[in-house]
Amino acid sequence: NYKDLNLACGIYNSQIINSEIGDDNAIHHVRYMSNYITGDEVILMNVNDMETSPAPKFGNGILKEGEQEDKRIWIELCNENGGRPILPFDGMQATDAYIWTRNRHDARLQTKFIELTEKSFTNKAGCYSEIGNQVVIKNCDMIHDVIIGDHAYLKGVNKVKNVTIHSIESAITQIGEGCEIVNGIIGYGCRVFYGVKAVRFILSSFSQLKYGARLINSFLGDNSTISCCEVLNSLLFPAHEQHHNNSFLCASLIMGQSNMAAGATIGSNHNSRAADGEIIANRGFWPGLCVSLKHNSKFASYSLIVKGDFLYELDIKIPFSLISTDVQNDRLIIVPGYWFLYNMYAVMRNSKKFEARDRRTIKNQYLEYDVFAPDTINEMFDSLAIIEKAVGKSLMPNWSNPSEEGRKILMDKNLKISQDIFLEDVENSKRKVVMLKPRESYNLFKKLIRHYAALQILNKEEWNQLDIDELLGQIKNYSNSTRKAFQNIGGQLVPKEDLQDLIGGIKADKYENWHQIHKQYHAWSSNYLEEKLAHALASLAELSDKPIAHWDIDFLTEVIEESKATQRWIYDEIYKSREKDYTNPFRKMVYENEEEMNTVIGSLADNAFINSMNEETAAYLAKADQILNKINIH
C-alpha cells in the first residue's frame, strides 16, 4: 500500500518479458514491461509501456559498443551555438560542469574530461533498467531506459526516457502529472510536476521543476526552483529561483543566489551574426521586472537591474549595484552598494534564506551564501580603484594621475562632489554612464571590508578563549598571507591558484576518475574557512596599509569597536528598510486598519528574520565585548 492506494501483491493483467521481479511487488495493468529489475515492495499500476533498449545509457553521455559518435548525448551549456558542450554523467556537480565549460581552447584538458567520463561507465550493451525498493509508479504512459532510486514516486507521467532518478527514504524524488523527461539525470529529493518538459539536462538535489517549466540543454544546481518559465543552454549554480511564466533565460552562466523576475528576458543573444552570445552573472544576480539584456554582458555580484530594455552590452564590475536606464536623458545610471544603502533587509536576508533552504543531507561541498566572502570583497577592492579613477577623471580631467586625485577628493569630507561622475568601459555605447553616490559607496565598501575582517576574527571559536597577547600572536601567524583571487566554481569559492593546480593535475593524469576530483573539492571545502580567514586578515592589512606583523592592541581595539558599530548599523538598517513597508501610506491603503495589515502580512514585531538578526547582533556584540574586556584588563 501507498497512502490510500492498496493493491494485492502479484502480477495482474500485465505482460512482463525478461525481467526480475523483487519480493512483494504489486504489478497491475502494466501493458508491456521488458528488461527490468525491480526491488522489493514496488507498486506498478496502470503503466502503458516500460521498455529497455539494447544499449541503455540512463542519461549518461557515453557510447556503447558499436555505436557511432552521433549517438552520444551532449548538453550544450552557456552557449546556444553549442560552443561549450559537456558530457552529462551520474554524480556530476555544478563544479564539474563549470570547469568543463571553461578553457575550451585547451584541447588536452577537454579530452581528459571525456576520458574521465567514459572510464566511469561500462560500454557493454545489454543492461537492464532498474527500479529500487518501495518505488511507486502509477497511471504513466512511457518509462524507457531508467534507473529509479528507492522510494521514488511517479504519477501521471507522459514520458521518462534515458534518465537516472536518484531517491532515498530521507530524500524522496517525485515526478508528477504531464511531465516529459528525456536524456537527463535527477538528483535526490527533487520535485518535478505539472507539465514539465526537460530534455538534455541535469537537475541537482533538492531542486524543483514545476507548472510547465522548460529546462533544455541546461544544468540546474542544488536547492533551486524553476516554475512556469523557459531555460535554455544555461549553467545555473545552486540556489537559483525563477518563478514566472513570462521569464526567459538563455545562453547564460548564473552563479547562484539568483532571482529572475517576471518578464525578465535574458535571451537577446541573436544580435550578432550567429546565436553565440553569452551572459555571465556572479552571485546574487537579480534582473527586475521586464528587463531585457543584450548578450554579451557580465555582472558583478548582487547586481540589481531596474525594469527596462538595455540595448547595449554591459560590463558591470561594481558589486551590489542598482543598474537603470535614464530614458529621458539617454544615459545609464549605476548606484554602487545600493543594497546596503537602501535595502539592507533584502541583501542580508538573501544569505540567511538560501542557507536555510540548503537541504543537502551530506554537505561535503561548502556552498558560500554569505554576502561577505572573498569574491565580493575582492570586487569591493576593484570598485575602490574604479571609483577613485572615475572621480578623478570626471572632476580633474587634465591631471596626469586621476586615481590619486580622485582618492584625495573622496577622502576630503569638506569637499562636496556636485558634478556628475562618469564611468568608462561599462556599456558598449557612446552615451554617458553616470555613477551616483561615489563618496557614500566608497566609504561603504571600506567599512564593509573592515567589518568582514572583524567577523572572521570573532567567528573563529578557538580564539575566543585566548588572552589578548595570545590572540595577537595567532593573528600574526598570518603575516605572510596575501589577498588571493577567488573563483566561484559551482557555489563553492576556491583560490584561483588552487583551481589552476587542479586543472594542471587533470592534464597530467593525476586523477583517475571524477570521484577523485570530487574529493579535491571536498578537501578545499574543509579548508575554506581557514582560507577565508587568511583572506580577511590580508584584506584588512591591505586596506589599512598596515602589515599584519605590525598590528597591536590599539589597532585591534579600533577594528573591533568599528565592527560593533557596523553590526549595529546593519541591524538598524534591516529594521528600517522593512519598517517602511508598515509606514508607507501607499502600502497601508489596501488594509482597513493596522490590525488587518498585521493579520495579512504579519506584524513587524513578529518578523522572524528581524528577530533572528537581533539575536545574532546581540551575540556578535557580546563576542566583541569579551575581547575588548580582555584588552581593558590587560
Side-chain angles (χ1 to χ4, degrees):
N1 65 78
Y2 178 81
K3 296 183 179 179
D4 294 330
L5 178 63
N6 293 282
L7 296 174
C9 291
I11 300 174
Y12 302 87
N13 301 306
S14 301
Q15 183 175 202
I16 313 295
I17 299 172
N18 195 33
S19 298
E20 297 181 16
I21 308 301
D23 294 339
D24 300 320
N25 278 209
I27 301 177
H28 292 245
H29 299 285
V30 175
R31 292 166 184 82
Y32 187 86
M33 177 175 170
S34 173
N35 298 316
Y36 268 75
I37 299 173
T38 69
D40 298 336
E41 300 179 16
V42 170
I43 295 177
L44 304 177
M45 186 194 78
N46 194 27
V47 183
N48 192 41
D49 185 9
M50 299 179 68
E51 295 184 38
T52 305
S53 68
K57 305 176 188 69
F58 310 117
N60 298 297
I62 58 174
L63 295 176
K64 295 290 187 174
E65 283 181 329
E67 287 190 319
Q68 300 299 312
E69 187 62 34
D70 62 358
K71 294 293 184 181
R72 193 190 296 274
I73 298 297
W74 295 84
I75 299 182
E76 297 174 352
L77 301 181
C78 303
N79 188 296
E80 192 181 5
N81 217 35
R84 299 185 188 272
I86 66 167
L87 295 178
F89 61 86
D90 188 10
M92 186 175 227
Q93 300 180 8
T95 308
D96 304 327
Y98 174 76
I99 63 174
W100 198 330
T101 58
R102 304 300 103 186
N103 303 296
R104 302 306 296 196
H105 60 286
D106 193 330
R108 179 171 176 78
L109 178 65
Q110 296 298 318
T111 299
K112 287 298 173 185
F113 288 144
I114 296 172
E115 290 176 2
L116 287 168
T117 302
E118 289 180 329
K119 283 165 59 177
S120 300
F121 304 92
T122 179
N123 67 344
K124 301 296 182 184
C127 298
Y128 285 57
S129 290
E130 299 177 20
I131 297 175
N133 299 316
Q134 298 184 2
V135 170
V136 176
I137 302 177
K138 66 177 186 178
N139 302 324
C140 295
D141 187 16
M142 182 186 294
I143 312 289
H144 283 197
D145 292 356
V146 294
I147 293 177
I148 301 176
D150 296 347
H151 300 273
Y153 180 45
L154 280 68
K155 178 180 70 169
V157 172
N158 290 348
K159 183 177 184 178
V160 176
K161 182 178 181 180
N162 191 32
V163 176
T164 293
I165 301 170
H166 288 284
S167 180
I168 55 176
E169 187 171 11
S170 60
I172 295 172
T173 292
Q174 300 183 24
I175 303 180
E177 293 85 348
C179 294
E180 295 171 11
I181 314 295
V182 180
N183 299 335
I185 295 166
I186 298 176
Y188 295 97
C190 290
R191 300 286 186 273
V192 182
F193 52 89
Y194 301 142
V196 165
K197 314 297 181 189
V199 181
R200 298 195 183 214
F201 72 98
I202 292 181
L203 179 64
S204 299
S205 295
F206 298 103
S207 291
Q208 298 185 76
L209 300 175
K210 54 187 180 179
Y211 305 130
R214 304 291 193 268
L215 183 70
I216 301 169
N217 266 312
S218 295
F219 186 111
L220 182 62
D222 297 308
N223 306 303
S224 299
T225 299
I226 294 179
S227 174
C228 306
C229 41
E230 186 171 10
V231 176
L232 308 174
N233 304 96
S234 292
L235 172 52
L236 309 175
F237 285 3
H240 174 81
E241 299 289 323
Q242 190 169 349
H243 298 272
H244 307 281
N245 194 44
N246 52 350
S247 66
F248 175 59
L249 180 61
C250 182
S252 299
L253 168 60
I254 310 296
M255 295 191 176
Q257 291 167 263
S258 39
N259 197 319
M260 296 275 296
T265 304
I266 316 305
S268 308
N269 63 334
H270 290 274
N271 47 46
S272 65
R273 263 58 65 186
D276 56 3
E278 300 180 18
I279 279 180
I280 298 176
N282 290 350
R283 289 193 296 138
F285 181 58
W286 196 320
L289 295 169
C290 301
V291 163
S292 178
L293 298 176
K294 183 173 182 179
H295 294 51
N296 298 336
S297 290
K298 287 183 70 175
F299 297 91
S301 301
Y302 296 91
S303 291
L304 176 61
I305 309 174
V306 176
K307 175 181 178 180
D309 296 324
F310 294 82
L311 304 179
Y312 310 101
E313 297 92 335
L314 297 171
D315 186 6
I316 306 297
K317 299 183 179 72
I318 303 177
F320 303 100
S321 290
L322 181 72
I323 303 148
S324 62
T325 296
D326 180 357
V327 177
Q328 184 174 356
N329 297 304
D330 190 27
R331 59 186 191 173
L332 188 72
I333 305 293
I334 308 291
V335 185
Y338 170 86
W339 288 100
F340 294 105
L341 294 172
Y342 298 105
N343 199 348
M344 187 74 79
Y345 180 92
V347 72
M348 297 307 294
R349 182 174 174 268
N350 182 286
S351 296
K352 306 299 180 184
K353 173 179 68 176
F354 289 118
E355 187 176 338
R357 292 177 182 175
D358 190 346
R359 298 169 56 204
R360 293 173 298 152
T361 52
I362 302 175
K363 298 183 180 180
N364 50 17
Q365 190 174 19
Y366 193 108
L367 301 182
E368 179 62 273
Y369 298 117
D370 199 340
V371 294
F372 303 122
D375 58 341
T376 54
I377 296 300
N378 285 344
E379 287 177 328
M380 289 183 195
F381 271 102
D382 295 341
S383 300
L384 295 177
I386 292 170
I387 295 169
E388 288 170 353
K389 185 176 180 180
V391 169
K393 291 197 75 169
S394 298
L395 301 184
M396 302 288 186
N398 298 320
W399 287 73
S400 59
N401 192 337
S403 295
E404 183 178 335
E405 293 306 315
R407 188 180 309 114
K408 291 178 181 177
I409 293 169
L410 289 162
M411 297 294 287
D412 187 348
K413 297 178 182 178
N414 297 317
L415 185 60
K416 186 177 181 181
I417 301 176
S418 55
Q419 296 176 232
D420 284 339
I421 304 301
F422 300 110
L423 289 168
E424 298 178 341
D425 302 320
V426 171
E427 185 179 72
N428 186 25
S429 72
K430 295 181 180 179
R431 66 177 185 169
K432 298 292 185 182
V433 178
V434 179
M435 176 176 61
L436 304 183
K437 307 289 182 179
R439 179 174 284 133
E440 291 89 338
S441 57
Y442 185 77
N443 292 331
L444 169 70
F445 288 153
K446 284 188 169 185
K447 177 165 69 173
L448 295 178
I449 292 169
R450 290 192 290 268
H451 185 56
Y452 164 67
L455 280 169
Q456 302 315 308
I457 293 171
L458 268 63
N459 287 340
K460 190 166 178 66
E461 296 296 335
E462 306 94 284
W463 288 1
N464 292 341
Q465 310 307 319
L466 303 178
D467 66 34
I468 193 60
D469 290 327
E470 290 173 329
L471 175 58
L472 276 170
Q474 288 292 327
I475 290 173
K476 289 182 179 181
N477 288 335
Y478 293 82
S479 294
N480 294 325
S481 297
T482 57
R483 182 172 63 86
K484 294 180 180 179
F486 276 72
Q487 182 63 51
N488 183 346
I489 60 167
Q492 175 181 359
L493 302 184
V494 301
K496 284 189 175 181
E497 58 192 35
D498 290 351
L499 178 59
Q500 292 306 311
D501 288 344
L502 173 71
I503 289 172
I506 293 171
K507 292 165 64 176
D509 295 322
K510 180 179 176 182
Y511 302 94
E512 296 182 5
N513 50 51
W514 282 104
H515 176 69
Q516 291 184 358
I517 294 174
H518 293 171
K519 287 178 67 176
Q520 182 60 69
Y521 304 160
H522 304 157
W524 287 339
S525 292
S526 298
N527 195 49
Y528 172 67
L529 292 180
E530 184 64 23
E531 287 279 10
K532 188 175 182 180
L533 173 62
H535 179 271
L537 297 175
S539 297
L540 178 58
E542 181 179 340
L543 185 70
S544 60
D545 198 22
K546 191 179 183 72
I548 295 173
H550 297 164
W551 291 7
D552 54 21
I553 289 176
D554 290 341
F555 179 78
L556 191 60
T557 301
E558 179 186 336
V559 169
I560 294 174
E561 288 285 10
E562 182 185 0
S563 181
K564 285 178 61 180
T566 301
Q567 187 64 37
R568 289 194 196 97
W569 169 74
I570 288 173
Y571 172 74
D572 289 343
E573 290 300 312
I574 288 171
Y575 188 89
K576 289 177 185 176
S577 57
R578 182 57 173 155
E579 186 182 34
K580 294 175 185 176
D581 297 331
Y582 289 82
T583 57
N584 184 338
F586 289 91
R587 292 270 187 171
K588 296 170 67 175
M589 66 184 179
V590 296
Y591 309 108
E592 292 293 329
N593 49 49
E594 186 171 334
E595 183 180 2
E596 185 191 16
M597 179 177 69
N598 289 337
T599 301
V600 173
I601 65 174
S603 69
L604 187 61
D606 293 332
N607 185 285
F609 172 66
I610 290 177
N611 291 336
S612 69
M613 285 304 300
N614 187 26
E615 293 172 3
E616 188 174 309
T617 298
Y620 183 77
L621 297 178
K623 281 187 197 175
D625 287 336
Q626 184 179 350
I627 293 179
L628 293 173
N629 289 336
K630 291 177 183 178
I631 292 174
N632 293 332
I633 293 171
H634 185 276

